[in-house]
Amino acid sequence: ITLSPNWAVGHAALGRTLMYAGQYEEGLAQLKKAIRLSPVPRSWYLIMMGSCYQHLGKQKEAIEEFKKVLQQNPNDLFAHVFLAASYSILGREMEAQTEAAEVLRVNPKFSLEHIAKTWPYKNRADIVFVIEALRKAGLK
């Protein structure tokens, strides 16, 4: 970013790194900057923004970001995963279960165990937060 301050992908990658490090406000700021620099964002920018919102307790904003991704790609696994979690967190059980079914449609081998082992959250509590919401939505 120092060498190329207008590089959208660099800001988005920093935002993603900050998100996984549990620095959600800072990650969100970098992701928003990436979108300002590249007004047609890659889907992962929006998914990471939604995840930041999700961890900040802003489920409405998170859901909006995940739905933007699904408008462009109805088969985006991660948008369905995080959307299921947000609905679950809000107690919107039917919508959470519908999204969980979409997750399994897109990837019948989806497993929470795999997520727990591979998603690079620094803080264990952050990944547990997502996994418990997904479990409540009906995923295993």
Side-chain angles (χ1 to χ4, degrees):
I1 289 175
T2 301
L3 296 174
S4 187
N6 292 323
W7 186 36
V9 175
H11 285 282
L14 177 57
R16 178 181 58 200
T17 301
L18 291 165
M19 189 278 299
Y20 281 125
Q23 298 176 31
Y24 300 110
E25 292 285 353
E26 297 88 345
L28 193 56
Q30 290 298 321
L31 289 155
K32 286 180 178 181
K33 185 166 188 171
I35 290 172
R36 280 194 307 275
L37 294 169
S38 178
V40 182
R42 298 175 185 193
S43 62
W44 67 268
Y45 295 15
L46 301 174
I47 291 170
M48 292 295 109
M49 278 185 62
S51 185
C52 285
Y53 283 128
Q54 190 174 73
H55 285 278
L56 290 168
K58 299 179 179 182
Q59 301 311 316
K60 180 182 176 215
E61 292 88 343
I63 289 168
E64 288 175 16
E65 298 304 323
F66 303 139
K67 284 185 173 184
K68 286 178 193 175
V69 173
L70 292 173
Q71 286 173 349
Q72 294 178 4
N73 179 5
N75 293 318
D76 190 293
L77 176 65
F78 296 107
H80 285 296
V81 168
F82 283 113
L83 189 54
S86 281
Y87 284 140
S88 178
I89 292 163
L90 288 174
R92 293 165 61 176
E93 294 176 18
M94 294 296 289
E95 290 157 302
Q97 291 170 1
T98 298
E99 287 305 317
E102 285 296 299
V103 168
L104 294 174
R105 178 188 64 78
V106 174
N107 180 3
K109 295 180 180 183
F110 177 86
S111 94
L112 295 177
E113 180 181 345
H114 178 72
I115 290 213
K117 289 180 181 177
T118 60
W119 284 10
Y121 282 93
K122 177 182 178 184
N123 303 314
R124 181 80 182 139
D126 292 343
I127 188 69
V128 169
F129 171 72
V130 175
I131 288 172
E132 289 306 313
L134 292 171
R135 186 171 283 120
K136 186 178 166 189
L139 292 168
K140 298 178 183 175

